[in-house]
Amino acid sequence: MAKTYDYLFKLLLIGDSGVGKTCVLFRFSEDAFNTTFISTIGIDFKIRTIDLDGKKIKLQIWDTAGQERFRTITTAYYRGAMGIMLVYDITNEKSFENIKNWIRNIEENASSDVEKMLLGNKCELEEKRQVSKERGEQLAVEYGIKFIETSAKASIRVEEAFFTLARDIKAKMEKKLVSHVYNDCF
Amino acid sequence: MPDCSENYENEISEGHNVRSIKCKFCNSIILKPSVASFTTVQFQLPLMKQTGGTNHPETEELSLFWMVTDMLMFENVGFSNTVGNNKYLTCADCEAGPIGYYDLSSKKSYVALSRVKHC
Ligand SMILES: Nc1nc2c(ncn2[C@@H]2O[C@H](COP(=O)(O)OP(=O)(O)O)[C@@H](O)[C@H]2O)c(=O)[nH]1
Ligand SMILES: [Mg+2]
């Protein structure tokens, strides 16, 4: 059977426990099917297929299954990762402050050219906000990464976030490819 | 084309799925036409709706499955954490499941015909 896609990107969700990583992984719908069986075992990863500028992209998205609580995210988890969604909760100051620690953890364990993106989740909870949008933007600028505020609950910009990250990884790969071809020719 | 049917014979052509395989609950596309192979195996698949605890999940024996040799052939799907030699498959969008199982040793995935719809 021929390959049914153009690119495969392995993505990770990283951030404090409770910020909404698991929810961001699925289209949060009112009628979300609640099977105690599956939620007890937990989801390891998901495969999603998206169309990006005419290319078929397979996303393999890994959730941390709660290891983040014990800060035991190790090199093994980061292996092969091409993109990382750093998630904090806009109603939880601590989760925002910890982004710096997560970035350090990534720098120590992941490949140096992994594409990163910052997500401020639960953005529909305006009345409970503890982290301003400006501070999110500023932190992202500091690390030279993109930033977006999302709500898994209200389905705000979650898809956009994954598309943006995927598009950046694709651009990076194609750039690398072009420079290889260039080097081979000249 | 008729609506999603339960008449499996019409869903198989030359051993493959004629139509798309979708989640029964939210319509999320799980497999595109003709990527899965029809196969019969006996498997005790836990029920989607459990009444008791999950230590001893209630199961039903199913035997009609769509077999997928490479997990990247799925359009959208969720893989649960490992239980024994298997992972359970779920809808990627609403997480309804198990819709089937993944065999860690053979790396093949099996989607139960009765847990999905064809349309
Ligand atoms: N209000 C609101 N709650 C959310 C949102 N995303 C997740 N949650 C809730 O936050 C809690 C933790 O979510 P979960 O995805 O398990 O977080 P994780 O520990 O990072 O995986 C759950 O109660 C979710 O329902 C959101 O966008 N808005
Ligand atoms: Mg989680």
Side-chain angles (χ1 to χ4, degrees):
Chain A
M1 172 106 208
K3 204 165 115 186
T4 56
Y5 56 93
D6 298 298
Y7 292 110
L8 166 65
F9 297 159
K10 181 179 170 186
L11 309 182
L12 306 180
L13 290 155
I14 299 277
D16 279 7
S17 189
V19 298
K21 297 182 299 299
T22 302
C23 290
V24 156
L25 242 189
F26 72 104
R27 204 194 302 143
F28 206 101
S29 56
E30 284 306 312
D31 51 74
F33 196 95
N34 208 330
T35 57
T36 46
F37 180 74
I38 291 294
S39 49
T40 308
I41 301 170
I43 303 281
D44 188 16
F45 62 88
K46 284 186 181 173
I47 290 170
R48 283 187 182 282
T49 309
I50 61 170
D51 267 316
L52 205 61
D53 313 321
K55 298 279 185 211
K56 204 165 182 196
I57 317 248
K58 295 272 172 188
L59 304 178
Q60 198 172 22
I61 313 169
W62 300 72
D63 191 5
T64 48
Q67 298 105 302
E68 76 274 22
R69 248 168 281 160
F70 314 105
R71 307 240 163 219
T72 50
I73 297 188
T74 52
T75 313
Y77 180 70
Y78 288 109
R79 192 164 296 134
M82 299 153 88
I84 297 177
M85 287 290 191
L86 282 149
V87 191
Y88 69 91
D89 170 355
I90 67 146
T91 71
N92 180 338
E93 173 71 32
K94 189 88 190 120
S95 74
F96 180 70
E97 284 165 15
N98 275 334
I99 289 292
K100 289 199 161 104
N101 298 328
W102 286 119
I103 289 186
R104 196 170 320 126
N105 193 268
I106 291 167
E107 282 167 351
E108 284 164 7
N109 292 287
S111 138
S112 60
D113 66 349
V114 66
E115 199 68 36
K116 294 181 284 292
M117 181 161 178
L118 184 63
L119 295 196
N121 191 40
K122 308 197 188 181
C123 74
E124 95 285 0
L125 294 176
E126 199 50 62
E127 71 286 358
K128 289 195 182 157
R129 182 188 282 275
Q130 291 184 357
V131 184
S132 71
K133 196 173 170 192
E134 290 67 37
R135 289 174 65 207
E137 281 163 352
Q138 208 181 329
L139 187 69
V141 167
E142 216 174 288
Y143 287 106
I145 62 180
K146 284 191 181 156
F147 169 66
I148 210 166
E149 281 195 345
T150 56
S151 167
K153 193 155 210 163
S155 291
I156 302 172
R157 289 186 291 270
V158 174
E159 295 228 328
E160 186 186 333
F162 280 101
F163 269 78
T164 304
L165 185 61
R167 186 170 284 119
D168 289 350
I169 297 170
K170 178 168 164 279
K172 187 180 263 180
M173 277 181 73
E174 283 168 352
K175 208 168 132 196
K176 256 192 219 163
L177 221 61
V178 167
S179 73
H180 277 304
V181 172
Y182 188 87
N183 288 338
D184 288 350
C185 292
F186 300 98
Chain B
M1 228 182 237
D3 272 4
C4 307
S5 77
E6 301 293 323
N7 186 353
Y8 298 140
E9 250 164 58
N10 295 336
E11 301 301 341
I12 308 163
S13 165
E14 291 173 16
H16 293 290
N17 56 311
V18 175
R19 300 196 280 178
S20 286
I21 294 167
K22 295 184 182 174
C23 173
K24 274 188 177 180
F25 304 93
C26 76
N27 269 324
S28 173
I29 284 217
I30 299 162
L31 287 158
K32 287 263 178 87
S34 76
V35 297
S37 307
F38 177 75
T39 184
T40 54
V41 277
Q42 243 68 293
F43 192 84
Q44 291 286 340
L45 197 62
L47 299 179
M48 284 193 172
K49 285 229 153 79
Q50 297 283 333
T51 51
T54 39
N55 284 345
H56 300 283
E58 299 162 82
T59 61
E60 65 177 333
E61 183 169 295
L62 296 178
S63 57
L64 310 181
F65 289 91
W66 291 118
M67 196 257 290
V68 177
T69 48
D70 174 357
M71 64 166 75
L72 295 175
M73 287 158 85
F74 281 103
E75 286 296 301
N76 300 289
V77 73
F79 283 73
S80 79
N81 289 314
T82 301
V83 179
N85 187 40
N86 299 115
K87 285 176 179 291
Y88 293 103
L89 306 176
T90 72
C91 168
D93 282 317
C94 72
E95 301 194 343
I99 55 168
Y101 67 99
Y102 169 77
D103 184 312
L104 261 77
S105 32
S106 71
K107 295 190 161 53
K108 286 175 181 162
S109 302
Y110 298 85
V111 176
L113 271 70
S114 64
R115 301 268 175 110
V116 291
K117 69 179 179 187
H118 306 82
C119 54

